Amino acid sequence: MNEILEKKQLNPTVKMMVINAPLMARKAKPGQFVIVRVDEKGERIPLTIADYDGEKGTITIIFQEVGMSTKKLGTLNVGDRLHDFVGPLGKPVEFSKDTKRVLAIGGGVGVAPLYPKVKMLNEMKVSVDSIIGGRSAEYVILEDEMKKVSENLYITTDDGTKGRKGFVTDVLKELIEKGNKYDEVIAIGPLIMMKMVCNITKEYNIPTMVSMNPIMVDGTGMCGGCRVTVGGETKFACVDGPAFDGLKVDFDEAMRRQNMYKDMEKKVLEKYEHECKLGGILNG
């Protein structure tokens, strides 16, 4: 249990791991997440389930190395075991049987939690157009996987090194203005990206689902760090979500909370990297 069966580098900062977790794999559904702890003293890391296979008994996680804990997770290799691997947690996403056409939008590592939703829609015979983006070509992930489950796949990069130069919102607006009709839009990525998507879909009154996993901390609702205002009510991303009606989310409040601990996180990470270099961990 909890053994790493496969590890792959998706881009300079993002890694994928396939974990042996048969009980979890049989229960997992799109939209849910897991809690990972690397070792006994490690912090809890909430990671959205990127894929699952009930028959093989595996759960796939994709994570970006942005802090001390995710960097530690990234040092593990095939054959290593995670100290804790708990889930599935959170509410699975649901789609109406009347849903005929959906537009799925993923930015950066947000494509990872987007993929299982699009995969499920594909199995439901729902037509899906997908837009995925990244800073440059090397930061676009799961292109082949998304292409298999999408009717049309559009790729954008900030610098134009892959697909078209620009942002996912540029393609979103063009598709709508060309007369494409969508029953729902799904947007997952950085908070600012999801906010900008919702600003556009609100103009056209298109129901929009977003995932607030970027603000989750402990995954139980106890810390309060993932509080989000939805339609004037306080919700917790980890227990009431992570998926919410994006047209009702107060993104400005969520972004203020997310930025509160940036300086502290930076100091902790710098200390960790300094200690690792002294011990030869990052150089070995």
Side-chain angles (χ1 to χ4, degrees), residues 133-196:
R135 282 184 286 167
S136 60
E138 62 184 346
Y139 289 98
V140 176
I141 66 171
L142 302 183
E143 177 184 352
D144 292 339
E145 290 82 353
M146 289 294 292
K147 188 176 293 183
K148 290 178 182 178
V149 294
S150 304
E151 185 171 328
N152 298 291
L153 177 65
Y154 305 89
I155 299 175
T156 70
T157 49
D158 296 357
D159 60 4
T161 51
K162 192 174 189 66
R164 61 169 287 175
K165 184 176 182 178
F167 306 110
V168 293
T169 47
D170 297 333
V171 179
L172 163 65
K173 195 148 192 176
E174 284 183 11
L175 290 174
I176 295 174
E177 290 177 347
K178 285 180 180 178
N180 290 281
K181 303 294 182 182
Y182 297 104
D183 298 312
E184 186 168 0
V185 169
I186 309 170
I188 307 179
L191 292 180
I192 185 62
M193 185 216 85
M194 293 190 287
K195 175 185 176 181
M196 299 310 294

Side-chain angles (χ1 to χ4, degrees), residues 90-231:
K91 292 185 176 180
V93 298
E94 296 181 356
F95 295 99
S96 168
K97 292 181 179 179
D98 296 327
T99 302
K100 302 299 181 185
R101 196 177 187 195
V102 170
L103 179 60
I105 305 172
V109 75
V111 179
L114 181 69
Y115 171 68
K117 298 174 179 64
V118 177
K119 183 179 177 182
M120 180 175 71
L121 287 166
N122 180 261
E123 293 169 352
M124 294 170 58
K125 308 300 181 185
V126 174
S127 174
V128 182
D129 289 340
S130 297
I131 311 168
I132 60 175
R135 282 184 286 167
S136 60
E138 62 184 346
Y139 289 98
V140 176
I141 66 171
L142 302 183
E143 177 184 352
D144 292 339
E145 290 82 353
M146 289 294 292
K147 188 176 293 183
K148 290 178 182 178
V149 294
S150 304
E151 185 171 328
N152 298 291
L153 177 65
Y154 305 89
I155 299 175
T156 70
T157 49
D158 296 357
D159 60 4
T161 51
K162 192 174 189 66
R164 61 169 287 175
K165 184 176 182 178
F167 306 110
V168 293
T169 47
D170 297 333
V171 179
L172 163 65
K173 195 148 192 176
E174 284 183 11
L175 290 174
I176 295 174
E177 290 177 347
K178 285 180 180 178
N180 290 281
K181 303 294 182 182
Y182 297 104
D183 298 312
E184 186 168 0
V185 169
I186 309 170
I188 307 179
L191 292 180
I192 185 62
M193 185 216 85
M194 293 190 287
K195 175 185 176 181
M196 299 310 294
V197 167
C198 290
N199 284 347
I200 294 172
T201 56
K202 190 175 292 185
E203 291 180 32
Y204 297 91
N205 197 31
I206 305 173
T208 306
M209 177 193 298
V210 298
S211 183
M212 300 302 289
N213 52 295
I215 64 172
M216 293 196 301
V217 182
D218 78 339
T220 65
M222 294 175 63
C223 74
C226 70
R227 294 192 314 278
V228 57
T229 300
V230 183

